[in-house]
Amino acid sequence: MNAAFSRSWKHAVVTGGAGFVGSHLCTALLDSGTAVTCVDDFSTGRPENISALCDRPGFQLVRASVSEPFTVDRPADLVLHFASPASPADYLRLPLHTLDAGSLGTRNALALAHGFGARFLLASTSEVYGDPQQHPQNERYWGNVNPVGPRSVYDEAKRFGEALTTAHADADGTDTGIVRLFNTYGPRMRGHDGRAVPTFVRQALAGEPLTVSGDGRQTRSLCYVDDTVRGILAAAAHGLRGPVNIGNPTEITMLDLARLIIELTGSSSEIRFIERPTDDPAVRCPDITLARDKLEWEPSVSAEQGLRRTIAWFRDHMD
């Protein structure tokens, strides 16, 4: 059963709607008959991600930073807060902006939802688990996060956003939910955003060495963006407060991922090992029991299927 659209929405506000996941959310909502207002300052989002949506009935773009109070011109019944730098390259380049998006931005998006009496959904992240000592990670695990490390601006912004969302629900009765997204990939990612899939695909298509950090034995669990979007909308429709993990429980090492991408692209690239980043998690894998039981959701796109679609998109969009 697909529960994603069991609850219909008239008008959704998507902050960060010109970003990778946000733009796919905007598309899915419009396809379901929901009017969408995309709020984005384009600090990391891209106009081309939403260019095909701009002429569609029901779509509106508001260019604004969520770190400042913002408004939309009509009531909304769903607010999806996805505005934040999300890749290492971005949040290391924009540390204060990242912290503001998770704190001030979350507060402003919550205020908008509360004022309309709308359902609010926070995009949190598996990064709240840090370098986990529990494996796989379930929602009851509190995490192992370095609060002053280079990744802390993203990790702690999301942890604070979760605390603020929970407090808003408890103190003001706002209808809130929290989804913790694990590594998501697919079309519209940027080749230089620092994440493994777009980096490896870009390098393989260009015939460059694939740069694997450390010994490549660290694992990630990769979820294709269409599956992630289904999970997000299922959580919005259900009314679950969460947090709830949305991700693919199938692990792959970074070395095996690099080899698979070389195979799927038909590249002659070699693999080059580089220094592993500080606080890089050794493992990352979601326990999705809660999502399966409550949302009747689980991913359906295999790694090979998703990577083939992603590679095809990069072939068409690389310079």
Side-chain angles (χ1 to χ4, degrees):
M1 174 181 175
N2 183 355
F5 296 111
S6 60
R7 181 174 172 184
S8 59
W9 311 101
K10 293 181 180 178
H11 174 213
V13 175
V14 183
T15 72
F20 163 49
V21 175
S23 63
H24 285 277
L25 269 173
C26 289
T27 301
L29 286 162
L30 283 170
D31 288 347
S32 73
T34 302
V36 173
T37 296
C38 165
V39 180
D40 208 298
D41 65 358
F42 296 102
S43 55
T44 58
R46 297 192 294 179
E48 52 265 40
N49 286 346
I50 56 170
S51 59
L53 306 181
C54 290
D55 293 330
R56 290 185 59 172
F59 182 80
Q60 182 179 27
L61 171 64
V62 173
R63 184 161 189 161
S65 169
V66 296
S67 299
E68 302 289 338
F70 63 94
T71 59
V72 297
D73 63 5
R74 49 185 164 160
D77 50 5
L78 177 64
V79 176
L80 299 166
H81 182 41
F82 279 70
S84 174
S87 72
D90 288 334
Y91 60 70
L92 293 174
R93 176 175 57 88
L94 300 167
L96 298 179
H97 185 90
T98 303
L99 287 163
D100 285 346
S103 54
L104 298 172
T106 303
R107 180 179 290 276
N108 290 330
L110 278 162
L112 184 77
H114 183 72
F116 287 138
R119 169 79 165 150
F120 174 88
L121 197 69
L122 173 71
S124 188
T125 171
S126 61
E127 294 293 333
V128 302
Y129 299 123
D131 189 3
Q133 297 174 336
Q134 179 193 93
H135 193 68
Q137 297 84 58
N138 64 43
E139 294 86 354
R140 297 181 300 279
Y141 178 54
W142 292 353
N144 178 38
V145 175
N146 178 358
V148 293
R151 304 170 73 98
S152 65
V153 294
Y154 184 61
D155 300 358
E156 298 293 11
K158 291 298 187 180
R159 286 161 68 95
F160 178 82
E162 288 196 14
L164 183 58
T165 298
T166 302
H168 225 278
D170 291 341
D172 294 338
T174 310
D175 179 11
T176 67
I178 299 169
V179 288
R180 289 177 178 165
L181 307 184
F182 280 67
N183 299 81
T184 300
Y185 72 99
R188 302 180 194 163
M189 297 190 86
R190 290 174 293 131
H192 290 275
D193 79 356
R195 288 179 276 200
V197 170
T199 299
F200 290 167
V201 171
R202 172 181 56 80
Q203 291 170 333
L205 291 178
E208 301 171 356
L210 273 64
T211 49
V212 174
S213 62
D215 59 11
R217 289 189 292 179
Q218 63 272 34
T219 69
R220 296 295 183 267
S221 301
L222 304 175
C223 194
Y224 188 65
V225 65
D226 289 358
D227 282 334
T228 297
V229 166
R230 281 195 304 107
I232 292 164
L233 294 176
H238 185 278
L240 182 70
R241 278 185 63 171
V244 57
N245 290 336
I246 300 295
N248 193 322
T250 302
E251 285 181 274
I252 187 171
T253 70
M254 292 299 92
L255 182 56
D256 285 343
L257 175 63
R259 288 168 173 162
L260 178 58
I261 288 175
I262 289 173
E263 176 187 339
L264 294 178
T265 55
S267 175
S268 59
S269 294
E270 298 179 347
I271 290 174
R272 178 163 60 88
F273 294 95
I274 61 173
E275 185 177 357
R276 191 170 165 189
T278 303
D279 296 335
D280 182 45
V283 292
R284 186 57 58 74
C285 180
D287 180 335
I288 62 168
T289 301
L290 182 62
R292 283 189 175 121
D293 290 349
K294 296 294 185 181
L295 307 180
E296 300 182 18
W297 172 88
E298 60 183 348
S300 61
V301 180
S302 71
E304 182 172 337
Q305 288 175 319
L307 287 171
R308 286 189 185 279
R309 296 176 193 175
T310 304
I311 289 165
W313 184 87
F314 269 88
R315 285 190 194 277
D316 290 340
H317 291 83
M318 280 183 61
D319 291 336

